[in-house]
Amino acid sequence: MKPTHLVLAAVSGLATTWLTDQIMRRASLPAVLRPVVSIAAGAAVAKAVQRLR
């Protein structure tokens, strides 16, 4: 695996966690929805990373 891919994977993981936390906090959603929000945030981050490539 190239170092660039490792960096992108680490940054996208951090971005997904941060985005999930922001959405959960600002929308005051119940904890039960956290996995759903996390999947949606991960998809948004993955799409953004694809645009960077």
Side-chain angles (χ1 to χ4, degrees):
M1 189 177 241
K2 293 182 180 179
T4 306
H5 293 138
L6 290 174
V7 171
L8 279 175
V11 170
S12 65
L14 289 171
T16 300
T17 301
W18 178 82
L19 188 57
T20 300
D21 289 343
Q22 294 300 312
I23 293 169
M24 292 297 292
R25 190 174 301 132
R26 291 176 191 229
S28 299
L29 297 173
V32 175
L33 294 177
R34 187 172 189 84
V36 175
V37 172
S38 181
I39 290 169
V45 170
K47 194 170 198 175
V49 168
Q50 278 183 339
R51 289 182 185 168
L52 290 175
R53 289 185 173 181

